[in-house]
Amino acid sequence: MNFDLIVFCLFLIINLFIGLILSKGIKNIKEYALGSRNFSTSTLAATIVATWIGGSSFALTALETYRQGYYFAIPGIADGISFFIIAYLYAPRMREFLGNLSVAEAMGNLWGPLVRLITAISAIIPAIGNVAIQFSILTVLLNYLLGISSSYAMIISSLIIIIYSTFGGIKAVTFTDMIQFFTFGVVIPMTAYLIWKSFSNFEAIETVFTQNPLFDYKQVFDHNNPKFLNTIFLFLFFLIPGLDPAIFQRISMAKNTIQVTKSFSISGIIITFWMYGILYLVGVLLLANGVEDLNPDNVVKHILDNYVHTGLKGIFVVGIMAMVMSTADSYINCSAVLFANDILKALGIKLEEKRELLFVRISALIIGVGALLISLFSKGILDMILGTYSFFMPIVSVPLILAIFGFRSSKTSVLIGMAAGFITVVLFKLFSDIDSLMPGMVANLILYFLSHFLFKQEGGWVGIKDQTSLDEIRKLRKRKINLILQSTKNFKIIKFFAIPKEDKTYVYFGLFCLVSVFSTFYTLPSDIYGHNEAVVNFLYYSILIISTSFITYPLWLKKLTNRTYISIFWNFSIFYCLIFTSSLFAIISKFNQLQLTVLMANIITAAILLRWQVAIIMIFTGIFLSLKSYTWYLKVDSINDLGSSLEFKTIYLLILLSSILIAFLKPKQDSHELSEARNEHLATQIKYRENELEKLLNLKNEFINNINHEVRTPLVGITSIGESLWENYDNLTEEQRRNATKKIASSSKRLITLMNNILDLSNLNSEKYELKFKLSNLSQILINSIEECKKLYLKDKELEFITEIEKDIELYIDEYYIKQTFDNLIINAINYSDNGRIFIKLKKIELGIKFSIEDEGIGIPKEEVIDIFEPFRVSSRTKTMAGGRGIGLALCKKVIEVHKGKIWAESNGNKGSIFIFTIPL
């Protein structure tokens, strides 16, 4: 047995093992179809991508790019964009559909059992065809891998997919999808790399982009081009999300609409830029290599024969098979649910819970085996089934999409529209060569609207059933627009361009510029220097002057270190020394390898020293100006006159540098800014307490009685772990050291939080303390507090905030302590909720205001609701002191009491709690 076959067998065994392990614990059809709806966002995104990228995606995308160039690639991008449409237009309006077992169940809830039955049938048949296609692709792969008739191997492979899909349900499908996503996520880039390596130089690739008419964007977008309209229509077609059964199921699996938005956004990025982008590159490389007579049946074989070496062929085949499995298992699962849950119920057949689960598994087995038999023996039936694929969107998608956007009509109108879509598709298939999908959707849409208005049916634009998520997004959008307008109005360019806080950074920058200019100057080929002596000397001497200026920064006069002056000089120097001159040297040397290395080092250094947004602006501006300066110096009209190589390399460099900035430096800088925001938040709290430490004596006796638990616990954690770390530092691994310091930081944070709350509580207990009342905008304080707490404390939790904040409520309050109250209550809700929603309301009432915050977390035991605001109490659940939470809520109580208000909590003891306070005018 060779290595390739071993890799293939191991992959099948791993998938089968994980699938069967995850089959345990499924109790009903809902868990079979949706799991527990507790999947992480990354898991959901992975299964969406894995479901969408089928076994034919590799060959089809690469082949059509090879054949059609931009005429295929541009419409293909719309396929990825459709995921963003689902994320940002559909998801906020689909809360009422979350938790539905299938698209047919959702349609049935809206329009009854007949519509449910039609939807299920129109979805099941093409889904079976899709599974059969995936199994057919296995035949080609295994025939090549084994070198003999691969029917038996294909049957075994297909049965493995069928078995774990049948028994494991959506949990098995989802987690095997993650393995499969990882597999083809490695294999596809690996393939592009292997083909890329076969080129001795890149002139042939440049020629494709610069001379091949298929890749001339001017021709593609020329309205006189006969292919122009077809390309535009194809783009619009791909742009419309079809919401097929598997994709709808992924939406329904999410915890909330926020998770739908996040997971489909991530999927859209991966599909558009990672998967399709690399597959487009494979097509371009095959074209540049002069490959001829490619067709869907020999693309994979050609790549395996010419670019993939023995030992890697098994990995490549496993990667394509991962695409096959990830699509097949998803459609087996959703088809079984459609049959067992929807067709039976639409026909009025009801089963007990256990029998229903057994029946859905039997359905999955029958559907999988049926698809396998079709792929093996009945190619004619397979073609017929695939012909029905164009029926789903014209029949189902039109009324479903309109319902998502708030248009609801009667069952009669829906059935008329469905019939119109079906008949139109049939007529186009019989009498026209034009694709029937778009005409069918248009016919459904027209007849749906006509029947609704002509027959005066009930409904119309009634809006969506649950609009809270959509309203919250609109509120957030308005706040962001107001924030942008306010930021624009108060924008100060000096503050935008950051400068170092330590003087030594300026000195180090000067030294780096010296090293950089020496490296550039002394590695410049002598012939290039001879032709450009005047320019090179000017750049060299000017950088020397700037570098020396920064090295002597500690000797500067105070007037010169003014923030305005130094900010201008600092940013100009980075732009001029690290970006403009380096890129100009690289262009002059025709992208000599050493000059290019210096340029890359300089630009990465500039990106580290600047905000990533400023870095991107400077990079594009600097390279553009260097190109313009070069063309002006040589007295040519444009860069095109200098040759296509220079243009291609410049574009490639910009894409590469932008990717580095966004992929690596942006997250690091964002994390740094978030850490600074957290530090500033804590520093602000500490500042208000530093002068009032003596008021600690006013604390209640409960603190002294509970000092052992409240203070000693974190202190013991800090001291014991610190001593252990000191004594065993050299013997510990890097991971153990990191964990120890993390525990120390966690205990320190707990101690700081405790002390901050104690100090505030002490302040408010002190008779000497005087509140600083002033007329304040309570609404804006609350909005700011929500955004700050979400940013600092939400982390990876999938919590949805729903707010009803009356605009511009003004009240005489102490701003600091009221904000502390808001912060404590919001942080409390976040900490005690793993998922669900947090409802925050602020409104005027008679002679005052009322605030409430409600969560869907673990709730408060009924016996603890009364004393929840006491600083020290014993939790009935954990049997330990709960002072950390009590101190924060005790502070809230004191703040509200000092403002002459009332605060209380409510909970049913099982799930969720609500905190309410009122303050009189």
PDB file of all heavy atoms in Angstrom, residues 502-511 547-558 560-561 566:
ATOM      1  N   GLU A 502       7.979  58.227  23.918  1.00  0.00           N
ATOM      2  CA  GLU A 502       9.301  58.205  24.529  1.00  0.00           C
ATOM      3  C   GLU A 502      10.328  58.842  23.590  1.00  0.00           C
ATOM      4  O   GLU A 502      10.337  58.582  22.386  1.00  0.00           O
ATOM      5  CB  GLU A 502       9.707  56.766  24.846  1.00  0.00           C
ATOM      6  CG  GLU A 502       8.803  56.102  25.874  1.00  0.00           C
ATOM      7  CD  GLU A 502       9.289  54.707  26.224  1.00  0.00           C
ATOM      8  OE1 GLU A 502      10.361  54.314  25.741  1.00  0.00           O
ATOM      9  OE2 GLU A 502       8.590  54.017  26.978  1.00  0.00           O
ATOM     10  N   ASP A 503      11.213  59.649  24.175  1.00  0.00           N
ATOM     11  CA  ASP A 503      12.217  60.366  23.374  1.00  0.00           C
ATOM     12  C   ASP A 503      13.168  59.419  22.649  1.00  0.00           C
ATOM     13  O   ASP A 503      13.609  59.705  21.525  1.00  0.00           O
ATOM     14  CB  ASP A 503      13.030  61.306  24.280  1.00  0.00           C
ATOM     15  CG  ASP A 503      12.186  62.453  24.802  1.00  0.00           C
ATOM     16  OD1 ASP A 503      11.032  62.587  24.347  1.00  0.00           O
ATOM     17  OD2 ASP A 503      12.678  63.201  25.671  1.00  0.00           O
ATOM     18  N   LYS A 504      13.466  58.276  23.270  1.00  0.00           N
ATOM     19  CA  LYS A 504      14.451  57.380  22.661  1.00  0.00           C
ATOM     20  C   LYS A 504      13.967  56.801  21.330  1.00  0.00           C
ATOM     21  O   LYS A 504      14.779  56.393  20.495  1.00  0.00           O
ATOM     22  CB  LYS A 504      14.813  56.251  23.625  1.00  0.00           C
ATOM     23  CG  LYS A 504      13.645  55.361  24.036  1.00  0.00           C
ATOM     24  CD  LYS A 504      14.103  54.332  25.061  1.00  0.00           C
ATOM     25  CE  LYS A 504      12.947  53.459  25.507  1.00  0.00           C
ATOM     26  NZ  LYS A 504      13.354  52.475  26.537  1.00  0.00           N
ATOM     27  N   THR A 505      12.643  56.773  21.119  1.00  0.00           N
ATOM     28  CA  THR A 505      12.115  56.258  19.848  1.00  0.00           C
ATOM     29  C   THR A 505      12.594  57.109  18.683  1.00  0.00           C
ATOM     30  O   THR A 505      12.905  56.589  17.608  1.00  0.00           O
ATOM     31  CB  THR A 505      10.581  56.223  19.875  1.00  0.00           C
ATOM     32  OG1 THR A 505      10.147  55.484  21.018  1.00  0.00           O
ATOM     33  CG2 THR A 505      10.027  55.561  18.627  1.00  0.00           C
ATOM     34  N   TYR A 506      12.677  58.437  18.903  1.00  0.00           N
ATOM     35  CA  TYR A 506      13.147  59.336  17.835  1.00  0.00           C
ATOM     36  C   TYR A 506      14.609  59.040  17.499  1.00  0.00           C
ATOM     37  O   TYR A 506      15.000  59.054  16.325  1.00  0.00           O
ATOM     38  CB  TYR A 506      12.994  60.796  18.263  1.00  0.00           C
ATOM     39  CG  TYR A 506      11.563  61.207  18.517  1.00  0.00           C
ATOM     40  CD1 TYR A 506      11.076  61.372  19.815  1.00  0.00           C
ATOM     41  CD2 TYR A 506      10.695  61.447  17.459  1.00  0.00           C
ATOM     42  CE1 TYR A 506       9.764  61.744  20.056  1.00  0.00           C
ATOM     43  CE2 TYR A 506       9.377  61.826  17.689  1.00  0.00           C
ATOM     44  CZ  TYR A 506       8.921  61.967  18.994  1.00  0.00           C
ATOM     45  OH  TYR A 506       7.629  62.335  19.209  1.00  0.00           O
ATOM     46  N   VAL A 507      15.393  58.769  18.530  1.00  0.00           N
ATOM     47  CA  VAL A 507      16.818  58.475  18.317  1.00  0.00           C
ATOM     48  C   VAL A 507      16.965  57.169  17.537  1.00  0.00           C
ATOM     49  O   VAL A 507      17.733  57.081  16.566  1.00  0.00           O
ATOM     50  CB  VAL A 507      17.569  58.388  19.662  1.00  0.00           C
ATOM     51  CG1 VAL A 507      19.034  58.037  19.436  1.00  0.00           C
ATOM     52  CG2 VAL A 507      17.440  59.707  20.428  1.00  0.00           C
ATOM     53  N   TYR A 508      16.215  56.130  17.951  1.00  0.00           N
ATOM     54  CA  TYR A 508      16.279  54.837  17.270  1.00  0.00           C
ATOM     55  C   TYR A 508      15.822  54.969  15.813  1.00  0.00           C
ATOM     56  O   TYR A 508      16.356  54.306  14.919  1.00  0.00           O
ATOM     57  CB  TYR A 508      15.425  53.803  17.996  1.00  0.00           C
ATOM     58  CG  TYR A 508      15.920  53.445  19.378  1.00  0.00           C
ATOM     59  CD1 TYR A 508      15.057  53.003  20.379  1.00  0.00           C
ATOM     60  CD2 TYR A 508      17.277  53.543  19.691  1.00  0.00           C
ATOM     61  CE1 TYR A 508      15.519  52.683  21.647  1.00  0.00           C
ATOM     62  CE2 TYR A 508      17.750  53.222  20.962  1.00  0.00           C
ATOM     63  CZ  TYR A 508      16.868  52.797  21.926  1.00  0.00           C
ATOM     64  OH  TYR A 508      17.321  52.465  23.180  1.00  0.00           O
ATOM     65  N   PHE A 509      14.823  55.814  15.593  1.00  0.00           N
ATOM     66  CA  PHE A 509      14.333  56.025  14.227  1.00  0.00           C
ATOM     67  C   PHE A 509      15.436  56.635  13.358  1.00  0.00           C
ATOM     68  O   PHE A 509      15.644  56.223  12.210  1.00  0.00           O
ATOM     69  CB  PHE A 509      13.104  56.934  14.239  1.00  0.00           C
ATOM     70  CG  PHE A 509      12.654  57.366  12.869  1.00  0.00           C
ATOM     71  CD1 PHE A 509      12.068  56.472  11.992  1.00  0.00           C
ATOM     72  CD2 PHE A 509      12.839  58.674  12.449  1.00  0.00           C
ATOM     73  CE1 PHE A 509      11.663  56.871  10.726  1.00  0.00           C
ATOM     74  CE2 PHE A 509      12.446  59.084  11.185  1.00  0.00           C
ATOM     75  CZ  PHE A 509      11.838  58.180  10.319  1.00  0.00           C
ATOM     76  N   GLY A 510      16.144  57.609  13.912  1.00  0.00           N
ATOM     77  CA  GLY A 510      17.240  58.229  13.171  1.00  0.00           C
ATOM     78  C   GLY A 510      18.318  57.220  12.818  1.00  0.00           C
ATOM     79  O   GLY A 510      18.829  57.195  11.692  1.00  0.00           O
ATOM     80  N   LEU A 511      18.653  56.345  13.775  1.00  0.00           N
ATOM     81  CA  LEU A 511      19.662  55.314  13.524  1.00  0.00           C
ATOM     82  C   LEU A 511      19.188  54.326  12.449  1.00  0.00           C
ATOM     83  O   LEU A 511      19.956  53.912  11.581  1.00  0.00           O
ATOM     84  CB  LEU A 511      19.972  54.566  14.820  1.00  0.00           C
ATOM     85  CG  LEU A 511      20.710  55.375  15.899  1.00  0.00           C
ATOM     86  CD1 LEU A 511      20.747  54.600  17.217  1.00  0.00           C
ATOM     87  CD2 LEU A 511      22.130  55.711  15.448  1.00  0.00           C
ATOM     88  N   SER A 547      18.037  62.019   9.325  1.00  0.00           N
ATOM     89  CA  SER A 547      18.461  60.992  10.291  1.00  0.00           C
ATOM     90  C   SER A 547      19.265  61.607  11.430  1.00  0.00           C
ATOM     91  O   SER A 547      19.022  61.320  12.613  1.00  0.00           O
ATOM     92  CB  SER A 547      19.301  59.923   9.588  1.00  0.00           C
ATOM     93  OG  SER A 547      18.590  59.347   8.538  1.00  0.00           O
ATOM     94  N   THR A 548      20.212  62.458  11.061  1.00  0.00           N
ATOM     95  CA  THR A 548      21.047  63.105  12.080  1.00  0.00           C
ATOM     96  C   THR A 548      20.209  63.980  13.001  1.00  0.00           C
ATOM     97  O   THR A 548      20.457  64.048  14.216  1.00  0.00           O
ATOM     98  CB  THR A 548      22.135  63.948  11.404  1.00  0.00           C
ATOM     99  OG1 THR A 548      22.839  63.139  10.455  1.00  0.00           O
ATOM    100  CG2 THR A 548      23.121  64.476  12.431  1.00  0.00           C
ATOM    101  N   SER A 549      19.203  64.636  12.440  1.00  0.00           N
ATOM    102  CA  SER A 549      18.315  65.489  13.252  1.00  0.00           C
ATOM    103  C   SER A 549      17.634  64.678  14.341  1.00  0.00           C
ATOM    104  O   SER A 549      17.548  65.106  15.500  1.00  0.00           O
ATOM    105  CB  SER A 549      17.264  66.148  12.356  1.00  0.00           C
ATOM    106  OG  SER A 549      17.874  66.959  11.380  1.00  0.00           O
ATOM    107  N   PHE A 550      17.166  63.475  13.997  1.00  0.00           N
ATOM    108  CA  PHE A 550      16.472  62.656  14.992  1.00  0.00           C
ATOM    109  C   PHE A 550      17.442  62.044  15.997  1.00  0.00           C
ATOM    110  O   PHE A 550      17.085  61.868  17.163  1.00  0.00           O
ATOM    111  CB  PHE A 550      15.662  61.561  14.295  1.00  0.00           C
ATOM    112  CG  PHE A 550      14.316  62.027  13.796  1.00  0.00           C
ATOM    113  CD1 PHE A 550      14.083  62.232  12.449  1.00  0.00           C
ATOM    114  CD2 PHE A 550      13.291  62.291  14.688  1.00  0.00           C
ATOM    115  CE1 PHE A 550      12.852  62.673  11.988  1.00  0.00           C
ATOM    116  CE2 PHE A 550      12.057  62.739  14.252  1.00  0.00           C
ATOM    117  CZ  PHE A 550      11.832  62.927  12.890  1.00  0.00           C
ATOM    118  N   ILE A 551      18.636  61.721  15.557  1.00  0.00           N
ATOM    119  CA  ILE A 551      19.630  61.174  16.499  1.00  0.00           C
ATOM    120  C   ILE A 551      19.961  62.194  17.587  1.00  0.00           C
ATOM    121  O   ILE A 551      20.202  61.839  18.757  1.00  0.00           O
ATOM    122  CB  ILE A 551      20.903  60.746  15.735  1.00  0.00           C
ATOM    123  CG1 ILE A 551      20.592  59.515  14.860  1.00  0.00           C
ATOM    124  CG2 ILE A 551      22.040  60.407  16.692  1.00  0.00           C
ATOM    125  CD1 ILE A 551      21.700  59.139  13.910  1.00  0.00           C
ATOM    126  N   THR A 552      19.948  63.467  17.219  1.00  0.00           N
ATOM    127  CA  THR A 552      20.257  64.539  18.198  1.00  0.00           C
ATOM    128  C   THR A 552      18.999  65.099  18.856  1.00  0.00           C
ATOM    129  O   THR A 552      19.029  66.189  19.420  1.00  0.00           O
ATOM    130  CB  THR A 552      21.013  65.678  17.482  1.00  0.00           C
ATOM    131  OG1 THR A 552      20.196  66.195  16.416  1.00  0.00           O
ATOM    132  CG2 THR A 552      22.329  65.186  16.924  1.00  0.00           C
ATOM    133  N   TYR A 553      17.885  64.367  18.805  1.00  0.00           N
ATOM    134  CA  TYR A 553      16.608  64.862  19.338  1.00  0.00           C
ATOM    135  C   TYR A 553      16.700  65.302  20.806  1.00  0.00           C
ATOM    136  O   TYR A 553      16.113  66.323  21.182  1.00  0.00           O
ATOM    137  CB  TYR A 553      15.527  63.782  19.178  1.00  0.00           C
ATOM    138  CG  TYR A 553      14.183  64.180  19.745  1.00  0.00           C
ATOM    139  CD1 TYR A 553      13.318  65.009  19.031  1.00  0.00           C
ATOM    140  CD2 TYR A 553      13.784  63.749  21.011  1.00  0.00           C
ATOM    141  CE1 TYR A 553      12.099  65.380  19.549  1.00  0.00           C
ATOM    142  CE2 TYR A 553      12.558  64.119  21.541  1.00  0.00           C
ATOM    143  CZ  TYR A 553      11.721  64.930  20.803  1.00  0.00           C
ATOM    144  OH  TYR A 553      10.517  65.310  21.328  1.00  0.00           O
ATOM    145  N   PRO A 554      17.406  64.568  21.684  1.00  0.00           N
ATOM    146  CA  PRO A 554      17.485  65.009  23.096  1.00  0.00           C
ATOM    147  C   PRO A 554      18.088  66.403  23.268  1.00  0.00           C
ATOM    148  O   PRO A 554      17.905  67.023  24.323  1.00  0.00           O
ATOM    149  CB  PRO A 554      18.365  63.947  23.748  1.00  0.00           C
ATOM    150  CG  PRO A 554      18.196  62.735  22.888  1.00  0.00           C
ATOM    151  CD  PRO A 554      18.059  63.265  21.499  1.00  0.00           C
ATOM    152  N   LEU A 555      18.822  66.915  22.269  1.00  0.00           N
ATOM    153  CA  LEU A 555      19.454  68.234  22.361  1.00  0.00           C
ATOM    154  C   LEU A 555      18.584  69.349  21.782  1.00  0.00           C
ATOM    155  O   LEU A 555      18.969  70.505  21.818  1.00  0.00           O
ATOM    156  CB  LEU A 555      20.802  68.215  21.622  1.00  0.00           C
ATOM    157  CG  LEU A 555      21.809  67.138  22.083  1.00  0.00           C
ATOM    158  CD1 LEU A 555      23.059  67.201  21.219  1.00  0.00           C
ATOM    159  CD2 LEU A 555      22.154  67.329  23.553  1.00  0.00           C
ATOM    160  N   TRP A 556      17.416  69.008  21.272  1.00  0.00           N
ATOM    161  CA  TRP A 556      16.560  70.020  20.637  1.00  0.00           C
ATOM    162  C   TRP A 556      16.069  71.030  21.670  1.00  0.00           C
ATOM    163  O   TRP A 556      15.899  70.703  22.862  1.00  0.00           O
ATOM    164  CB  TRP A 556      15.338  69.367  20.005  1.00  0.00           C
ATOM    165  CG  TRP A 556      15.635  68.626  18.719  1.00  0.00           C
ATOM    166  CD1 TRP A 556      16.840  68.194  18.272  1.00  0.00           C
ATOM    167  CD2 TRP A 556      14.669  68.218  17.751  1.00  0.00           C
ATOM    168  NE1 TRP A 556      16.700  67.540  17.086  1.00  0.00           N
ATOM    169  CE2 TRP A 556      15.376  67.533  16.734  1.00  0.00           C
ATOM    170  CE3 TRP A 556      13.296  68.356  17.634  1.00  0.00           C
ATOM    171  CZ2 TRP A 556      14.738  67.002  15.615  1.00  0.00           C
ATOM    172  CZ3 TRP A 556      12.661  67.826  16.529  1.00  0.00           C
ATOM    173  CH2 TRP A 556      13.376  67.157  15.530  1.00  0.00           C
ATOM    174  N   LEU A 557      15.821  72.240  21.194  1.00  0.00           N
ATOM    175  CA  LEU A 557      15.198  73.254  22.041  1.00  0.00           C
ATOM    176  C   LEU A 557      13.761  72.866  22.339  1.00  0.00           C
ATOM    177  O   LEU A 557      13.106  72.199  21.539  1.00  0.00           O
ATOM    178  CB  LEU A 557      15.228  74.614  21.336  1.00  0.00           C
ATOM    179  CG  LEU A 557      16.626  75.196  21.049  1.00  0.00           C
ATOM    180  CD1 LEU A 557      16.488  76.466  20.212  1.00  0.00           C
ATOM    181  CD2 LEU A 557      17.358  75.499  22.345  1.00  0.00           C
ATOM    182  N   LYS A 558      13.260  73.306  23.486  1.00  0.00           N
ATOM    183  CA  LYS A 558      11.902  72.938  23.887  1.00  0.00           C
ATOM    184  C   LYS A 558      10.853  73.401  22.879  1.00  0.00           C
ATOM    185  O   LYS A 558       9.844  72.747  22.653  1.00  0.00           O
ATOM    186  CB  LYS A 558      11.572  73.531  25.271  1.00  0.00           C
ATOM    187  CG  LYS A 558      12.003  72.637  26.409  1.00  0.00           C
ATOM    188  CD  LYS A 558      11.372  73.094  27.693  1.00  0.00           C
ATOM    189  CE  LYS A 558      11.702  72.082  28.817  1.00  0.00           C
ATOM    190  NZ  LYS A 558      11.067  72.461  30.089  1.00  0.00           N
ATOM    191  N   LEU A 560      11.044  73.485  19.744  1.00  0.00           N
ATOM    192  CA  LEU A 560      10.994  72.590  18.582  1.00  0.00           C
ATOM    193  C   LEU A 560      10.303  71.273  18.898  1.00  0.00           C
ATOM    194  O   LEU A 560       9.883  70.551  17.988  1.00  0.00           O
ATOM    195  CB  LEU A 560      12.410  72.316  18.071  1.00  0.00           C
ATOM    196  CG  LEU A 560      13.178  73.527  17.520  1.00  0.00           C
ATOM    197  CD1 LEU A 560      14.587  73.115  17.127  1.00  0.00           C
ATOM    198  CD2 LEU A 560      12.443  74.124  16.324  1.00  0.00           C
ATOM    199  N   THR A 561      10.198  70.931  20.198  1.00  0.00           N
ATOM    200  CA  THR A 561       9.532  69.683  20.577  1.00  0.00           C
ATOM    201  C   THR A 561       8.031  69.879  20.813  1.00  0.00           C
ATOM    202  O   THR A 561       7.360  68.997  21.335  1.00  0.00           O
ATOM    203  CB  THR A 561      10.176  69.094  21.847  1.00  0.00           C
ATOM    204  OG1 THR A 561      10.092  70.051  22.912  1.00  0.00           O
ATOM    205  CG2 THR A 561      11.613  68.723  21.593  1.00  0.00           C
ATOM    206  N   ILE A 566       6.644  68.698  16.029  1.00  0.00           N
ATOM    207  CA  ILE A 566       7.238  67.365  15.994  1.00  0.00           C
ATOM    208  C   ILE A 566       6.332  66.382  15.260  1.00  0.00           C
ATOM    209  O   ILE A 566       6.801  65.459  14.575  1.00  0.00           O
ATOM    210  CB  ILE A 566       7.554  66.851  17.424  1.00  0.00           C
ATOM    211  CG1 ILE A 566       8.449  65.595  17.356  1.00  0.00           C
ATOM    212  CG2 ILE A 566       6.292  66.527  18.189  1.00  0.00           C
ATOM    213  CD1 ILE A 566       9.778  65.808  16.701  1.00  0.00           C
TER     214      ILE A 566
END
